[in-house]
Amino acid sequence: MNVSNLFKIAIKALGNNKMRCFLTMLGVIIGVGAVIAMLAIGQGSKNSIKAQISEMGSNMIMIFPGGDTRGGVRQSSDDMQTLKPADYEALLDQSVNIANITPTVNSSGQWVNGNNNYPSQAQGVNTQYLDIRQRKVSEGEMFSENDVKTAAKVCVLGKTLVDNLFPGGTDPIGKVVRFGSIPLTVIGVLDEKGYNTMGQDQDDLALVPYTTVMKRMLAVDYIQGIQASAIDENRTEETIAEITDILRTNHKLRDDQDDNFTIRSMQELAEMINSTSSMMTMLLAAVAGISLLVGGIGIMNIMIVSVTERTREIGLRMSIGATGRDIMTQFLIESILISVTGGLLGILLGAIATWLIKLIANWPVQIDPSSVILSFAVCTLIGIIFGFYPAAKASNLDPIEAIRYE
Amino acid sequence: MAKEIIKIENLKRYFKVGDEIVKALRGISFTIYEGEFVTIMGTSGSGKSTLLNTLGCLDTPTSGEYYLDGIAVKGMGKNERARIRNRKIGFIFQNYNLLPKTTALENVELPLLYNSAVSAKERTERAKKCLNEVGLGQRMLHKSNQMSGGQQQRVAIARALVNNPVIILADEATGNLDTRTSFSILTLFQRLYREGKTIIFVTHNPEIALYSSRNITLRDGRIVSDEYNDDIQSAEEVYRNLPVEE
Ligand SMILES: Nc1ncnc2c1ncn2[C@@H]1O[C@H](COP(=O)(O)OP(=O)(O)O)[C@@H](O)[C@H]1O
Ligand SMILES: [Mg+2]
């Protein structure tokens, strides 16, 4: 018996029951659509994290005050003051793996220029910040080492702040603005970067010498963190070890004492976020997969009904020479056609859903070709698995009894 | 001497129903030669259908020998029997058993779909030829459910002819039809007989024996008579003389 004839027979049989056929497919369509959309969301967010990380510099290392909080132990305010400018200076002097390094100390407040004001932060950094974060000054210039030394009252503004404080389009360079009560001279404007892949405005930023923030704004002797970049991103591990050594020595920690600072590398962070988002994706895909399973059961259900309904037809086919194998193949083809057609429509639905998600919610999405291939393969498999029992049932019918069936 | 198409020897078929054994066929022997038009008669339950199913390789006898077209059917597997049905037998049923929502042409093509030696082109040609033979040349593309009972049975006959079977087996082929339509179908069978086809026609209606060349009567699974008919009546004549119903 040739399979192409059985194909014709199966297509014809399905065509006789279009509505039922479509409703049966619907389960698979929704299941596959959901799987595709979920995986697209997962893949999209993974990609955006990756992009974000490389945007920020994958060789970046951040040092925070206080011990490792991953264990969930609460931090006292003392713990938050363990990093001092001396730590930064020690790293600057002693480390061989660090390319650039800056202390960070931020103050929140209101930026004011005459009648215009804008709530934001003053980020206290040194001159190397620009290299670490891969930023540039597009107008004017960055503050100097000397400005840092003297805690000069100067600032470099991001585009968002410029737009809000100088709405008329006046040149901000040389103008004096206030942050809280402190007058600062604008000496530069940062290059425009727009929103990052996580939707943060990268131009809502104002850089001030960290000494200015410490002495004139916050009046503190500690810093909130240190950002550094490793010379070689493949040597992040060694760099972290070196930093740990230098800081422990500097803090005079005994061997039995835990670190009173925390070091995070961008790579580590990336892995952490990645594994979280992978887990999330798997969870979503599993839920979607269950709906696919339900779709498969729907196919089996309808095929069983169909075999019962068409008992006489099966009896007739057998009496004119169809073998059990022919009957089995015909019904298997029918269920595979339902599941594969459903799968193809499901892929289409998934693609449309993904596109809508991107359009409406503006989420980063990406359909991975492997997810399409996977769901297609799963559909074919579902057709075979869930079609097998009804098909076997049909092929085992006794022709005499089947043809008499009312 | 004509060719032996069917030869059975002491054929028995017992059914086990619970603890009881139903003896549907209790030892039947006969030989049917090429070109015979045999009616098998008997009251309901006498074993006619069981016999026909066995001859049609749908059922296997409990004991006895069966040769179809010179081939021993006994000991054949399921698939071999399916192949025999496909190549050598034409079945006609009381309730037509056409595929619903399917054209006459496609219904007639059906047996050839299960024969990969026949190309699509040949399939359609042969089906058309058979439909022309049964007088449905104008209705090839009508759906089965849009046809009258008589027309449906003609489609079924065309389907039974399409594989050039060595024997045509009909089980109560006129059982669902009114007298006039029955005679038109019987006329068709007589024409096939004249053309040299071998036919076994099972019926419980004794009148039909008048129109066949040989009549075998069964009772309780045994042959009670096996007679040749020297004076075959013309079904066509009866058909012509029947009043057309309003
Ligand atoms: N599959 C079966 N199982 C049990 N008994 C059967 C079966 N088929 C037929 N019989 C019995 O065999 C006898 C002959 O049946 P059948 O060949 O159908 O007679 P007919 O066609 O002459 O009316 C009946 O008594 C019937 O009940
Ligand atoms: Mg019967």
Side-chain angles (χ1 to χ4, degrees):
Chain A
M1 174 67 215
N2 80 46
V3 177
S4 87
N5 284 353
L6 288 178
F7 243 99
K8 264 180 229 152
I9 292 170
I11 288 171
K12 173 94 194 158
L14 292 179
N16 281 347
N17 245 320
K18 290 190 194 73
M19 187 64 187
R20 173 197 284 188
C21 196
F22 174 73
L23 289 175
T24 313
M25 262 180 217
L26 210 52
V28 177
I29 294 175
I30 292 171
V32 170
V35 168
I36 296 266
M38 292 306 145
L39 290 177
I41 291 171
Q43 188 62 40
S45 74
K46 230 181 234 181
N47 287 354
S48 101
I49 291 164
K50 222 182 255 168
Q52 171 109 7
I53 304 266
S54 69
E55 232 168 59
M56 303 213 311
S58 48
N59 58 347
M60 206 169 113
I61 293 167
M62 288 151 292
I63 308 164
F64 305 100
D68 200 324
T69 55
R70 272 182 289 193
V73 184
R74 256 196 73 194
Q75 303 266 312
S76 71
S77 62
D78 277 356
D79 287 335
M80 299 316 293
Q81 301 178 9
T82 55
L83 287 180
K84 301 279 151 74
D87 291 322
Y88 151 66
E89 278 148 23
L91 289 172
L92 195 60
D93 285 349
Q94 295 164 34
S95 170
V96 292
N97 287 313
I98 288 175
N100 291 298
I101 183 163
T102 176
T104 59
V105 44
N106 298 347
S107 174
S108 297
Q110 197 79 1
W111 287 89
V112 183
N113 176 34
N115 292 329
N116 303 308
N117 52 57
Y118 188 73
S120 183
Q121 288 194 329
Q123 291 206 21
V125 295
N126 73 4
T127 52
Q128 295 183 12
Y129 176 87
L130 294 183
D131 288 325
I132 297 170
R133 301 305 294 260
Q134 298 164 19
R135 299 290 299 247
K136 284 192 172 61
V137 172
S138 59
E139 289 172 53
E141 55 195 10
M142 183 62 177
F143 48 77
S144 64
E145 297 283 353
N146 198 45
D147 289 333
V148 174
K149 232 172 258 167
T150 59
K153 291 191 250 183
V154 292
C155 65
V156 174
L157 299 182
K159 191 75 175 42
T160 304
L161 273 125
V162 171
D163 288 347
N164 280 285
L165 297 178
F166 302 93
T170 28
D171 183 9
I173 309 290
K175 302 279 183 329
V176 176
V177 295
R178 278 188 299 117
F179 182 74
S181 58
I182 307 184
L184 299 165
T185 308
V186 182
I187 58 167
V189 175
L190 287 165
D191 60 337
E192 191 172 350
K193 275 222 157 167
Y195 288 79
N196 70 8
T197 36
M198 280 181 165
Q200 292 164 330
D201 181 5
Q202 299 177 92
D203 298 319
D204 185 0
L205 177 73
L207 303 179
V208 178
Y210 73 93
T211 45
T212 312
V213 177
M214 282 174 70
K215 289 176 189 154
R216 301 188 192 276
M217 296 178 186
L218 299 175
V220 294
D221 66 345
Y222 58 88
I223 53 179
Q224 292 163 350
I226 297 170
Q227 289 183 11
S229 57
I231 288 173
D232 180 354
E233 69 175 281
N234 299 319
R235 284 178 54 85
T236 321
E237 298 280 323
E238 289 91 325
T239 313
I240 289 174
E242 187 194 34
I243 293 171
T244 309
D245 273 354
I246 295 171
L247 289 181
R248 284 187 69 91
T249 315
N250 219 34
H251 289 179
K252 300 189 174 65
L253 293 175
R254 293 189 310 272
D255 283 352
D256 61 335
Q257 282 176 304
D258 288 336
D259 295 345
N260 58 0
F261 52 88
T262 308
I263 305 172
R264 291 266 184 277
S265 71
M266 214 54 184
Q267 285 185 342
E268 208 185 358
L269 195 75
E271 275 159 29
M272 235 162 66
I273 298 173
N274 235 334
S275 77
T276 316
S277 94
S278 285
M279 212 167 82
M280 209 57 210
T281 307
M282 290 318 295
L283 214 74
L284 290 174
V287 172
I290 288 171
S291 74
L292 194 56
L293 183 77
V294 173
I297 294 171
I299 291 181
M300 177 142 92
N301 187 18
I302 284 299
M303 290 309 291
I304 289 174
V305 170
S306 164
V307 166
T308 310
E309 251 183 20
R310 287 155 66 192
T311 299
R312 274 223 348 235
E313 175 197 323
I314 295 164
L316 169 77
R317 287 181 188 280
M318 286 176 157
S319 71
I320 59 170
T323 59
R325 207 192 163 89
D326 291 336
I327 298 294
M328 172 119 179
T329 313
Q330 178 194 333
F331 278 87
L332 267 185
I333 291 174
E334 282 184 30
S335 69
I336 292 172
L337 276 178
I338 290 179
S339 64
V340 165
T341 312
L344 288 174
L345 292 176
I347 289 170
L348 196 72
L349 178 77
I352 292 171
T354 305
W355 178 73
L356 282 177
I357 288 167
K358 191 181 170 70
L359 199 75
I360 294 167
N362 200 25
W363 284 6
V365 289
Q366 199 210 334
I367 296 180
D368 196 346
S370 70
S371 77
V372 174
I373 294 166
L374 181 85
S375 40
F376 195 78
V378 167
C379 276
T380 316
L381 219 66
I382 278 184
I384 294 172
I385 293 170
F386 289 97
F388 189 84
Y389 172 71
K393 199 175 139 165
S395 73
N396 284 327
L397 286 173
D398 174 50
I400 301 170
E401 277 169 27
I403 208 157
R404 280 205 204 119
Y405 184 86
E406 293 299 330
Chain B
M1 184 83 187
K3 191 173 155 199
E4 288 178 0
I5 297 293
I6 281 178
K7 181 174 181 171
I8 52 174
E9 288 167 358
N10 202 19
L11 205 70
K12 292 181 182 167
R13 180 66 168 106
Y14 298 165
F15 294 104
K16 221 178 142 168
V17 182
D19 293 337
E20 273 180 66
I21 290 190
V22 178
K23 299 184 173 181
L25 301 176
R26 300 168 184 245
I28 296 202
S29 308
F30 58 65
T31 303
I32 290 173
Y33 298 93
E34 188 168 29
E36 286 194 281
F37 180 6
V38 181
T39 42
I40 296 183
M41 215 139 294
T43 52
S44 180
S46 56
K48 307 181 299 290
S49 294
T50 307
L51 177 60
L52 202 72
N53 288 338
T54 309
L55 296 180
C57 298
L58 282 169
D59 202 356
T60 42
T62 308
S63 71
E65 299 296 325
Y66 173 27
Y67 301 93
L68 173 67
D69 203 19
I71 305 161
V73 175
K74 195 174 160 181
M76 276 188 178
K78 259 189 172 181
N79 289 345
E80 260 179 298
R81 279 188 283 128
R83 195 183 156 86
I84 291 275
R85 290 199 293 271
N86 187 240
R87 306 297 154 85
K88 293 195 180 283
I89 291 169
F91 262 112
I92 298 160
F93 304 92
Q94 179 171 358
N95 47 16
Y96 331 127
N97 277 315
L98 301 182
L99 296 184
K101 303 185 197 170
T102 304
T103 63
L105 187 62
E106 285 171 302
N107 266 296
V108 176
E109 283 182 347
L110 199 61
L112 302 181
L113 272 175
Y114 292 99
N115 181 349
S116 43
V118 179
S119 71
K121 187 161 167 276
E122 187 187 348
R123 190 165 68 220
T124 312
E125 274 169 10
R126 277 166 69 172
K128 281 184 178 166
K129 190 173 141 267
C130 292
L131 277 166
N132 277 322
E133 265 174 59
V134 300
L136 287 177
Q138 305 303 312
R139 292 200 164 74
M140 294 200 201
L141 298 180
H142 285 217
K143 298 267 170 79
S144 53
N145 38 325
Q146 300 165 341
M147 294 182 152
S148 70
Q151 287 169 342
Q152 289 190 53
Q153 196 59 299
R154 279 167 192 275
V155 174
I157 292 169
R159 185 179 62 195
L161 292 171
V162 79
N163 58 342
N164 281 322
V166 297
I167 185 136
I168 295 166
L169 303 175
D171 193 351
E172 309 273 11
T174 54
N176 277 7
L177 301 172
D178 60 68
T179 311
R180 198 179 145 79
T181 317
S182 292
F183 273 99
S184 83
I185 294 294
L186 216 49
T187 305
L188 178 54
F189 272 101
Q190 283 195 326
R191 209 183 78 216
L192 295 173
Y193 163 63
R194 280 198 303 275
E195 286 167 6
K197 299 268 191 297
T198 316
I199 302 164
I200 300 182
F201 192 108
V202 161
T203 175
H204 66 277
N205 180 1
E207 203 191 329
I208 292 178
L210 297 173
Y211 307 94
S212 68
S213 70
R214 178 181 171 188
N215 180 53
I216 297 172
T217 308
L218 297 185
R219 187 186 295 152
D220 297 333
R222 285 198 180 89
I223 294 179
V224 291
S225 77
D226 182 353
E227 289 163 347
Y228 287 84
N229 180 6
D230 296 331
D231 181 25
I232 302 172
Q233 307 282 302
S234 164
E236 191 173 9
E237 225 165 79
V238 182
Y239 174 68
R240 280 188 203 292
N241 294 333
L242 279 172
V244 182
E245 279 174 50
E246 300 301 308

